[in-house]
Amino acid sequence: MAKMGKKYADSVKLIEKNKLYDPSEALALVCQTSKAKFDETIEVHVRLGVDSRHADQQVRGAVVLPNGTGKSVKVLVFAKGDNVQAALDAGADYAGGAEYAEKIQNENWFDFDVVIASPDMMGVIGRLGKVLGPKGLMPSPKAGTVTPDVVRAVNEAKAGKIEYRLDKTNIIHCPIGKASFGAEKLQQNFDTLLGAIIKARPAAAKGQYIKSCVIASTMGPGIKINQGKLG
């Protein structure tokens, strides 16, 4: 069995084993368990009572966190004509067309966190699905990253828009900010994310929707939340 580090062991002592915490308690506690020398990211892990193998039970979307993620996001926009300059003026780090698709394919270039595309550019980036898809970077209409309004999409990405989606084990993993945010701002972000996930419940989902919810800092232990308090 791997040996616990001293800071991790100290954090574990703060958590009552098998206790399901109210969200407000858990978010206050996760700030206390964040003991690393850097500003740790606070992550939420939600297991849903759906089966991601079925198309009618997929849960995916995007939401702008009211307090952002605390992370500086690099944005790449695929666009034509006036939209290129408009995207750059809105704060995009890169904007253009086929030259960026070639750079990704030929140079294995990934100096960006979010990809946005206007609908008329899907022919260009369609062939990038095999490289962008596995990294979770392929733009999609459902996530709002394929849109004629690239300016709005850039603004949302820079403001702290995150995408949530089920993995193969029916769990959604999302950041909701940094430990330095404090419990109040983390609570606002948490409520916004969970509200979006609950609203996205598929009609085909039967029985209990939220099976479990755990929050943790980058280097800290998981804190279990009472899913009965999540709506």
Side-chain angles (χ1 to χ4, degrees), residues 104-188:
I104 291 168
Q105 286 183 309
N106 301 333
E107 301 175 25
N108 199 32
W109 175 73
F110 290 100
D111 185 31
F112 49 86
D113 305 295
V114 177
V115 182
I116 293 164
S118 56
D120 56 3
M121 294 301 293
M122 290 309 293
V124 172
I125 66 167
R127 60 181 181 270
L128 298 176
K130 289 183 179 179
V131 290
L132 294 181
K135 294 179 180 290
L137 292 169
M138 191 65 181
S140 75
K142 195 162 188 179
T145 45
V146 175
T147 172
D149 192 350
V150 295
V151 169
R152 179 180 176 183
V154 170
N155 287 333
E156 289 181 340
K158 291 288 186 177
K161 185 176 186 177
I162 59 168
E163 186 175 352
Y164 58 87
R165 67 168 79 184
L166 283 178
D167 67 8
K168 290 180 180 179
T169 60
N170 304 314
I171 299 175
I172 289 173
H173 311 271
C174 278
I176 57 165
K178 298 287 187 179
S180 61
F181 281 19
E184 186 177 341
K185 286 185 176 180
L186 288 172
Q187 178 85 58
Q188 292 168 356

